[in-house]
Amino acid sequence: MGLVNHTVVTHFILLGIPDANGLQTILFITFLAFYLCTLLGNLLIFSAILTDPRLHTPMYFFLCNLSVLDIGYSSISTPKMLTNLWFQSRVISLGGCMSQVFFYHFLGSTECLLYTVMAYDRYVAICHPLRYRLIMNRKMCALLAAGTWITSFFHSTILTSLTFTLPYCGSNVVDYFFCDIFPVVKLACADTYVIETVTLTNTGVVPITCFHLILASYIRIMFSVLKMNSSEGRRKAASTCASHLTVVMLFFGQCALIYTQPHLSKVLVTAVQIFGNVVTPMLNPAIYTLRNKEVKAALRKLRGGQNPEH
């Protein structure tokens, strides 16, 4: 009948971090410390904003969303990577691999869209201060936040479905430290043109569009700041935008380096990817805390168990 006897893949083997032999213990301790700091820092930011009524504003509402995202994003690959480093357990189930692909693109896309929403919030606050509360009311904030999550959910569902409806009947060795679309579809025993084209288009269009919208927002903000007569007003406006600009540069810098430099070595690409997955989520709370007196005050009161209203 012309049938070929194929073994259907039920699990994958992650090769892990390249050239890491002999460094497993050091890498494990380092990444574990980063991961714990990420969880602690983002939980503190989230708790401080929730418990301090003075921080119940649109900017801090979106910052709460970012803290949740950073906890989730760092948890996609870090726990499995730590298991691989300590226990040398490289096997991941088919379901686990699907989960990594789905949540990586779901949370990554949500973060990209959220940065755009946060830039719009700063634009309205600085360029239209008298109409800020009217425009950025609770309903609008909820719609913008929900929109980022829902849009990204469908975006990731499509990519994950296209990836895992392909037949996998050959090698199950993923040449990476976590499951992502391109390392996984290389193992498919079918034509991957559609998924590769859709993925390249989506992962290109979403960040580029968001980056240009953020850039347009900050160009308008810059002109508004330059027109301000008060040096105190200019300083305050610059201070509120500096933290956001820093995390935006970290996020889009990583994307640009990976997706616009196809000839980068695998070791360098892995290092950049680990920085984005492990280090950046840890840095975000520090960046917002160090440059924000209101958040630092809320954290001090949270630590001291004082009522923020007093």
Side-chain angles (χ1 to χ4, degrees):
M1 298 295 289
L3 295 176
V4 180
N5 185 20
H6 286 308
T7 301
V8 177
V9 171
T10 57
H11 64 275
F12 293 95
I13 298 171
L14 302 173
L15 287 187
I17 302 169
D19 301 332
N21 288 335
L23 300 173
Q24 286 91 340
T25 303
I26 295 173
L27 291 175
F28 175 83
I29 293 170
T30 303
F31 294 150
L32 178 61
F34 284 161
Y35 184 54
L36 293 176
C37 287
T38 297
L39 297 179
L40 179 62
N42 283 288
L43 284 172
L44 283 173
I45 292 283
F46 186 80
S47 302
I49 292 172
L50 282 183
T51 56
D52 192 338
R54 294 173 301 178
L55 299 184
H56 293 177
T57 64
M59 183 174 77
Y60 294 111
F61 169 70
F62 296 129
L63 184 55
C64 265
N65 278 261
L66 182 61
S67 292
V68 173
L69 275 172
D70 282 336
I71 291 172
Y73 195 69
S74 65
S75 299
I76 296 167
S77 60
T78 306
K80 183 59 182 174
M81 184 168 61
L82 292 172
T83 304
N84 291 352
L85 289 169
W86 191 255
F87 298 105
Q88 300 296 304
S89 173
R90 301 181 184 276
V91 177
I92 184 170
S93 66
L94 178 61
C97 192
M98 290 175 67
S99 296
Q100 284 196 336
V101 171
F102 174 80
F103 284 106
Y104 178 69
H105 289 275
F106 172 42
L107 298 180
S109 175
T110 305
E111 187 158 357
C112 187
L113 294 172
L114 185 63
Y115 285 138
T116 310
V117 169
M118 293 171 80
Y120 174 71
D121 172 66
R122 292 299 83 209
Y123 158 74
V124 177
I126 294 170
C127 299
H128 304 283
L130 299 179
R131 299 173 57 202
Y132 178 66
R133 291 186 179 276
L134 180 65
I135 296 172
M136 299 301 293
N137 55 57
R138 289 195 175 193
K139 183 179 179 181
M140 176 58 73
C141 290
L143 285 173
L144 288 171
T148 64
W149 291 90
I150 294 169
T151 302
S152 299
F153 175 83
F154 285 111
H155 161 83
S156 184
T157 299
I158 292 168
L159 293 180
T160 307
S161 299
L162 287 173
T163 301
F164 289 98
T165 50
L166 293 170
Y168 293 90
C169 48
S171 171
N172 66 341
V173 179
V174 178
D175 190 12
Y176 212 41
F177 67 96
F178 76 105
C179 287
D180 195 9
I181 291 174
F182 288 115
V184 170
V185 297
K186 286 180 183 177
L187 308 177
C189 46
D191 182 28
T192 59
Y193 175 78
V194 173
I195 177 59
E196 288 179 351
T197 304
V198 171
T199 302
L200 281 172
T201 303
N202 281 18
T203 56
V205 169
V206 173
I208 289 172
T209 303
C210 289
F211 179 77
H212 282 93
L213 289 172
I214 292 170
L215 185 63
S217 297
Y218 275 99
I219 288 172
R220 292 292 302 274
I221 288 171
M222 183 180 68
F223 282 117
S224 294
V225 170
L226 291 174
K227 290 178 183 178
M228 290 179 180
N229 296 323
S230 166
S231 59
E232 177 64 21
R234 285 196 296 270
R235 186 200 62 77
K236 187 175 180 181
S239 177
T240 58
C241 296
S243 300
H244 182 247
L245 273 175
T246 304
V247 296
V248 163
M249 286 189 290
L250 283 172
F251 181 83
F252 286 99
Q254 170 207 336
C255 292
L257 197 59
I258 291 175
Y259 294 109
T260 64
Q261 303 294 325
H263 302 297
L264 287 176
S265 69
K266 186 171 73 172
V267 174
L268 185 56
V269 169
T270 303
V272 173
Q273 189 77 69
I274 289 174
F275 184 87
N277 290 12
V278 180
V279 182
T280 302
M282 179 194 69
L283 291 177
N284 286 350
I287 291 167
Y288 276 102
T289 302
L290 291 173
R291 299 195 59 90
N292 194 305
K293 293 180 180 178
E294 293 174 319
V295 174
K296 285 194 285 187
L299 286 171
R300 282 195 299 268
K301 290 175 179 178
L302 182 68
R303 184 182 60 188
Q306 301 173 28
N307 188 337
E309 293 183 316
H310 295 300

